[in-house]
mmCIF file of all heavy atoms in Angstrom:
data_model
loop_
_atom_site.group_PDB
_atom_site.id
_atom_site.type_symbol
_atom_site.label_atom_id
_atom_site.label_comp_id
_atom_site.label_asym_id
_atom_site.label_seq_id
_atom_site.Cartn_x
_atom_site.Cartn_y
_atom_site.Cartn_z
ATOM 1 N N ALA H 92 -15.492 17.982 -29.758
ATOM 2 C CA ALA H 92 -16.492 16.973 -29.397
ATOM 3 C C ALA H 92 -16.718 16.967 -27.884
ATOM 4 O O ALA H 92 -17.857 16.881 -27.413
ATOM 5 C CB ALA H 92 -16.066 15.588 -29.887
ATOM 6 N N GLY H 93 -15.632 17.105 -27.122
ATOM 7 C CA GLY H 93 -15.761 17.171 -25.669
ATOM 8 C C GLY H 93 -16.429 18.462 -25.227
ATOM 9 O O GLY H 93 -17.336 18.460 -24.384
ATOM 10 N N ALA H 94 -16.000 19.580 -25.820
ATOM 11 C CA ALA H 94 -16.533 20.893 -25.429
ATOM 12 C C ALA H 94 -18.019 20.993 -25.778
ATOM 13 O O ALA H 94 -18.805 21.556 -25.012
ATOM 14 C CB ALA H 94 -15.741 22.005 -26.121
ATOM 15 N N ARG H 95 -18.414 20.459 -26.933
ATOM 16 C CA ARG H 95 -19.823 20.521 -27.329
ATOM 17 C C ARG H 95 -20.704 19.729 -26.371
ATOM 18 O O ARG H 95 -21.887 20.038 -26.201
ATOM 19 C CB ARG H 95 -20.016 19.992 -28.765
ATOM 20 C CG ARG H 95 -19.664 21.005 -29.834
ATOM 21 C CD ARG H 95 -20.636 20.968 -31.041
ATOM 22 N NE ARG H 95 -20.976 19.639 -31.455
ATOM 23 C CZ ARG H 95 -20.317 18.936 -32.374
ATOM 24 N NH1 ARG H 95 -19.309 19.482 -33.019
ATOM 25 N NH2 ARG H 95 -20.689 17.725 -32.678
ATOM 26 N N ALA H 96 -20.119 18.695 -25.740
ATOM 27 C CA ALA H 96 -20.877 17.909 -24.766
ATOM 28 C C ALA H 96 -20.857 18.580 -23.390
ATOM 29 O O ALA H 96 -21.386 18.032 -22.425
ATOM 30 C CB ALA H 96 -20.303 16.493 -24.679
ATOM 31 N N GLY H 97 -20.228 19.752 -23.307
ATOM 32 C CA GLY H 97 -20.190 20.480 -22.038
ATOM 33 C C GLY H 97 -19.181 19.925 -21.043
ATOM 34 O O GLY H 97 -19.251 20.222 -19.856
ATOM 35 N N LEU H 98 -18.226 19.123 -21.538
ATOM 36 C CA LEU H 98 -17.254 18.495 -20.637
ATOM 37 C C LEU H 98 -15.960 19.293 -20.548
ATOM 38 O O LEU H 98 -15.580 19.951 -21.516
ATOM 39 C CB LEU H 98 -16.926 17.089 -21.147
ATOM 40 C CG LEU H 98 -18.108 16.126 -21.219
ATOM 41 C CD1 LEU H 98 -17.677 14.828 -21.885
ATOM 42 C CD2 LEU H 98 -18.641 15.863 -19.818
ATOM 43 N N PRO H 99 -15.268 19.217 -19.397
ATOM 44 C CA PRO H 99 -13.921 19.777 -19.348
ATOM 45 C C PRO H 99 -12.995 18.977 -20.269
ATOM 46 O O PRO H 99 -13.066 17.750 -20.303
ATOM 47 C CB PRO H 99 -13.502 19.625 -17.880
ATOM 48 C CG PRO H 99 -14.436 18.623 -17.291
ATOM 49 C CD PRO H 99 -15.682 18.631 -18.120
ATOM 50 N N VAL H 100 -12.193 19.697 -21.055
ATOM 51 C CA VAL H 100 -11.253 19.041 -21.970
ATOM 52 C C VAL H 100 -9.852 19.520 -21.615
ATOM 53 O O VAL H 100 -9.610 20.719 -21.504
ATOM 54 C CB VAL H 100 -11.541 19.404 -23.440
ATOM 55 C CG1 VAL H 100 -10.565 18.691 -24.369
ATOM 56 C CG2 VAL H 100 -12.979 19.062 -23.810
ATOM 57 N N GLN H 101 -8.941 18.568 -21.424
ATOM 58 C CA GLN H 101 -7.566 18.917 -21.079
ATOM 59 C C GLN H 101 -6.647 18.332 -22.139
ATOM 60 O O GLN H 101 -6.852 17.201 -22.574
ATOM 61 C CB GLN H 101 -7.253 18.315 -19.699
ATOM 62 C CG GLN H 101 -5.866 18.584 -19.197
ATOM 63 C CD GLN H 101 -5.712 20.015 -18.733
ATOM 64 O OE1 GLN H 101 -6.486 20.485 -17.907
ATOM 65 N NE2 GLN H 101 -4.724 20.706 -19.268
ATOM 66 N N THR H 102 -5.635 19.096 -22.572
ATOM 67 C CA THR H 102 -4.648 18.524 -23.488
ATOM 68 C C THR H 102 -3.355 18.237 -22.718
ATOM 69 O O THR H 102 -3.024 18.935 -21.763
ATOM 70 C CB THR H 102 -4.346 19.459 -24.676
ATOM 71 O OG1 THR H 102 -3.859 20.708 -24.181
ATOM 72 C CG2 THR H 102 -5.600 19.703 -25.516
ATOM 73 N N TYR H 103 -2.663 17.186 -23.130
ATOM 74 C CA TYR H 103 -1.398 16.794 -22.515
ATOM 75 C C TYR H 103 -0.357 16.556 -23.598
ATOM 76 O O TYR H 103 -0.689 15.992 -24.650
ATOM 77 C CB TYR H 103 -1.560 15.498 -21.706
ATOM 78 C CG TYR H 103 -2.413 15.655 -20.485
ATOM 79 C CD1 TYR H 103 -3.746 15.249 -20.493
ATOM 80 C CD2 TYR H 103 -1.894 16.198 -19.317
ATOM 81 C CE1 TYR H 103 -4.538 15.391 -19.365
ATOM 82 C CE2 TYR H 103 -2.687 16.345 -18.187
ATOM 83 C CZ TYR H 103 -4.005 15.941 -18.221
ATOM 84 O OH TYR H 103 -4.793 16.096 -17.108
ATOM 85 N N THR H 104 0.880 16.930 -23.315
ATOM 86 C CA THR H 104 1.958 16.611 -24.243
ATOM 87 C C THR H 104 2.294 15.124 -24.096
ATOM 88 O O THR H 104 2.046 14.524 -23.042
ATOM 89 C CB THR H 104 3.233 17.423 -23.933
ATOM 90 O OG1 THR H 104 3.732 17.011 -22.652
ATOM 91 C CG2 THR H 104 2.936 18.916 -23.908
ATOM 92 N N PRO H 105 2.879 14.524 -25.146
ATOM 93 C CA PRO H 105 3.300 13.121 -25.043
ATOM 94 C C PRO H 105 4.213 12.887 -23.826
ATOM 95 O O PRO H 105 4.074 11.873 -23.136
ATOM 96 C CB PRO H 105 4.054 12.891 -26.358
ATOM 97 C CG PRO H 105 3.441 13.867 -27.317
ATOM 98 C CD PRO H 105 3.084 15.076 -26.494
ATOM 99 N N SER H 106 5.111 13.840 -23.530
ATOM 100 C CA SER H 106 6.017 13.672 -22.387
ATOM 101 C C SER H 106 5.262 13.630 -21.069
ATOM 102 O O SER H 106 5.604 12.853 -20.168
ATOM 103 C CB SER H 106 7.031 14.816 -22.321
ATOM 104 O OG SER H 106 7.722 14.922 -23.523
ATOM 105 N N GLU H 107 4.238 14.471 -20.940
ATOM 106 C CA GLU H 107 3.445 14.472 -19.709
ATOM 107 C C GLU H 107 2.762 13.126 -19.505
ATOM 108 O O GLU H 107 2.704 12.601 -18.387
ATOM 109 C CB GLU H 107 2.385 15.590 -19.755
ATOM 110 C CG GLU H 107 2.940 16.985 -19.590
ATOM 111 C CD GLU H 107 1.869 18.065 -19.737
ATOM 112 O OE1 GLU H 107 1.103 18.037 -20.733
ATOM 113 O OE2 GLU H 107 1.805 18.940 -18.869
ATOM 114 N N VAL H 108 2.241 12.566 -20.603
ATOM 115 C CA VAL H 108 1.550 11.280 -20.514
ATOM 116 C C VAL H 108 2.543 10.180 -20.141
ATOM 117 O O VAL H 108 2.288 9.362 -19.246
ATOM 118 C CB VAL H 108 0.852 10.936 -21.845
ATOM 119 C CG1 VAL H 108 0.167 9.576 -21.756
ATOM 120 C CG2 VAL H 108 -0.164 12.012 -22.200
#
Side-chain angles (χ1 to χ4, degrees):
Chain H
R95 280 219 318 269
L98 299 174
V100 181
Q101 180 74 54
T102 59
Y103 292 100
T104 66
S106 305
E107 287 176 310
V108 178

